[in-house]
Amino acid sequence: MPLKTYGVLIGRAVDTRREGGSDSPHYQIHVTDEAGVHYRAAVNVLSAQQPSELLYFVSEDFRHPITARLEGLASGWNSLPPGPGGPNLDFVRGNLFDPALMRKLPPDLEGPDNDLADLLDHSVRRAVADRDARVYLFGERWGPEVRVKDKIFGFLPGNGVHDIHMNQGNSGRFRGDDGVWQDGGLLIHFPARSRWVGIFLAFQSQSWHTDDVTGHAVEGVDPSRPEPGTRPVRIIAALVNPRGPAPEAETVTLLNASPDPVDLTGWQLQDRLGRRSAVPQGPLAAGAVRTVGLAGGAQLGNHGGEISLLDATGLKVDGVSYTAEQAGRDGWSVVF
């Protein structure tokens, strides 16, 4: 059963609090919206399952079409319906970042710049200091609890968001939280610098190959993240905005970066909405490239999009994203 109340909280960060200890500690963020409503965002920094240290990835210059999809949402809590049509996060399908780049950190240690709370402090405290900065916290809503003061910051009613981490591929008692297009995360917008920061967290116990309907781990598949540089076939470019009249001849270029040929029979390219185009069959030699036309299948919108490469079993092999700015020049390929 997926999260009951998935969405995104938009507001201003006004305070933070670090929790130590080993009993499910969190990094707490006090957020207010434009109507003066108070919220607490509880960010996990330690897993209740072994291994306990969380995985993290931070982009100090986050560029992804989701930032454009967030435009027009109101300050405060915004419920997001399930599916790929809105600004929902999905670590597996949304191509937000390369999972191979995630690293693990302990929750809270003595000394500077050596734990997950320090890492969160680095970005969130900047947002607190900048009155124009806005935080976008994706996860599950709780409250309002009309007669209950917030246990950390003391405001009334108690109100907030949690599960600000990957919410699929779980095991054990957390398997019931699985779903697709409902992952948590933290984006921070600094308008004066035209800069977005993205912070993404996952548990080491979670699988990176999940069912497209349930979000459960796919059985019989290695659940771990790919190691850097180990993906043999990769998306290296896409002609998103070709010259000429519609229908445009959109293409995606693949590279076999491995030293061995790879048979691409049965492989497909998929867009954010699940539309697919077949990759030409046959082996791709070591170091060779193959250009795939997308006529009648996957579509590359000029306002930004995501492209995923699936193998013959339907498992994701690689994924990229591009923004409207990258797609803006007629006839130019976007290079990844």
Side-chain angles (χ1 to χ4, degrees):
M1 180 178 177
L3 301 183
K4 295 179 181 179
T5 53
Y6 177 72
V8 57
L9 170 63
I10 304 174
R12 181 172 177 263
V14 296
D15 198 3
T16 66
R17 192 74 50 83
R18 300 167 60 129
E19 288 183 335
S22 58
D23 184 19
S24 188
H26 290 74
Y27 181 87
Q28 309 283 2
I29 309 173
H30 185 179
V31 178
T32 60
D33 67 16
E34 291 179 358
V37 179
H38 294 257
Y39 304 83
R40 174 167 56 89
V43 184
N44 288 79
V45 293
L46 186 71
S47 173
Q49 288 185 311
Q50 295 295 326
S52 60
E53 294 178 345
L54 266 69
L55 299 167
Y56 78 92
F57 174 76
V58 176
S59 172
E60 289 287 345
D61 188 13
F62 180 65
R63 302 189 185 195
H64 189 278
I66 193 170
T67 58
R69 296 180 190 129
L70 290 166
E71 293 177 0
L73 292 184
S75 177
W77 175 257
N78 294 264
S79 295
L80 298 176
N88 304 41
L89 301 188
D90 191 302
F91 289 10
V92 177
R93 296 158 191 83
N95 301 339
L96 298 159
F97 58 91
D98 183 353
L101 299 178
M102 297 195 94
R103 297 292 180 265
K104 61 184 179 180
L105 265 180
D108 190 30
L109 296 176
E110 291 290 336
D113 300 326
N114 61 358
D115 58 45
L116 190 52
D118 290 336
L119 181 139
L120 291 164
D121 247 352
H122 176 72
S123 296
V124 179
R125 296 304 302 178
R126 282 185 291 161
V128 172
D130 184 343
R131 294 188 62 85
D132 294 325
R134 292 296 178 267
V135 294
Y136 295 72
L137 290 141
F138 296 79
E140 184 174 42
R141 171 79 179 272
W142 85 79
E145 300 168 327
V146 178
R147 296 179 177 83
V148 180
K149 280 189 175 182
D150 183 77
K151 67 178 184 179
I152 303 296
F153 299 108
F155 54 79
L156 186 70
N159 200 22
V161 57
H162 62 161
D163 289 336
I164 306 171
H165 49 66
M166 186 175 178
N167 290 306
Q168 59 183 303
N170 289 295
S171 59
R173 63 190 175 97
F174 297 105
R175 192 169 183 268
D177 294 334
D178 284 347
V180 297
W181 297 108
Q182 58 152 39
D183 284 330
L186 169 58
L187 303 182
I188 306 175
H189 186 211
F190 296 95
R193 292 182 282 163
S194 298
R195 181 68 60 91
W196 287 80
V197 173
I199 302 173
F200 307 99
L201 303 171
F203 300 116
Q204 294 185 65
S205 58
Q206 291 174 314
S207 173
W208 289 86
H209 293 292
T210 59
D211 183 86
D212 286 337
V213 176
T214 65
H216 295 326
V218 176
E219 296 183 3
V221 178
D222 182 358
S224 61
R225 298 168 296 128
E227 291 298 320
T230 61
R231 291 166 298 176
V233 182
R234 305 171 193 178
I235 301 170
I236 60 169
L239 182 55
V240 176
N241 190 7
R243 286 177 173 170
E248 300 169 315
E250 299 168 344
T251 63
V252 174
T253 302
L254 309 178
L255 166 70
N256 179 7
S258 78
D260 302 303
V262 177
D263 186 4
L264 301 186
T265 300
W267 288 40
Q268 295 178 301
L269 288 165
Q270 177 175 284
D271 64 19
R272 181 182 177 89
L273 298 181
R275 296 169 297 210
R276 296 183 179 183
S277 293
V279 173
Q281 299 186 29
L284 182 62
V289 298
R290 181 168 298 173
T291 299
V292 182
L294 302 184
Q299 298 177 21
L300 306 183
N302 293 350
H303 299 291
E306 294 92 282
I307 314 167
S308 295
L309 177 63
L310 312 178
D311 68 14
T313 68
L315 292 179
K316 180 179 172 181
V317 174
D318 193 23
V320 296
S321 65
Y322 62 91
T323 64
E325 181 182 11
Q326 290 175 299
R329 293 193 294 173
D330 287 0
W332 283 79
S333 291
V334 179
V335 178
F336 304 109

